[in-house]
């Protein structure tokens, strides 16, 4: 009978080990996910600041009387 009890205990130990391992992996993935989302939010804020700086510079250039850079236009026979 000891053999059956040992087998049950080994199975229970293995099950607990796997559950613990899966929980640790879940925690690590959650930490990485949170970090990635945080960095994406940070990048979004920096892009918004950059866009605002560009708009400020364009407004400043316009206020100085400089025409904004025009996009090159295609001739009708091109394209």
């Amino acid at each position: 009978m000891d053999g059956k009890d040992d087998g049950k205990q080994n199975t229970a130990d293995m099950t607990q080990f796997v559950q613990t391992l899966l929980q640790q992996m879940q925690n690590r993935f959650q930490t990485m996910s949170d970090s990635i989302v945080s960095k994406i939010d940070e990048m979004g804020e920096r892009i918004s600041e950059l866009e605002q700086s560009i708009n400020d510079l364009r407004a400043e250039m316009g206020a100085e009387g400089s025409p904004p850079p025009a996009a090159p236009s295609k001739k009708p026979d091109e394209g």
Side-chain angles (χ1 to χ4, degrees), residues 3 5 10 13 15 17 20 31 35 39-40 44 50-51 54 56 65 67 73:
D5 290 341
N10 285 342
D13 289 347
T15 300
F17 173 77
T20 301
T31 300
S35 176
K39 289 187 186 300
I40 290 172
L50 181 59
E51 288 175 334
I54 290 170
D56 291 347
S73 58

Side-chain angles (χ1 to χ4, degrees), residues 21-53:
L21 188 62
L22 288 173
Q23 185 61 48
Q24 289 172 348
M25 288 173 61
Q26 175 65 32
N27 291 342
R28 288 179 183 159
F29 279 121
Q30 187 62 50
T31 300
M32 284 190 290
S33 176
D34 293 344
S35 176
I36 290 168
V37 168
S38 174
K39 289 187 186 300
I40 290 172
D41 288 344
E42 217 175 279
M43 286 173 49
E45 290 172 13
R46 292 177 73 182
I47 289 171
S48 293
E49 291 172 3
L50 181 59
E51 288 175 334
Q52 185 60 50
S53 293

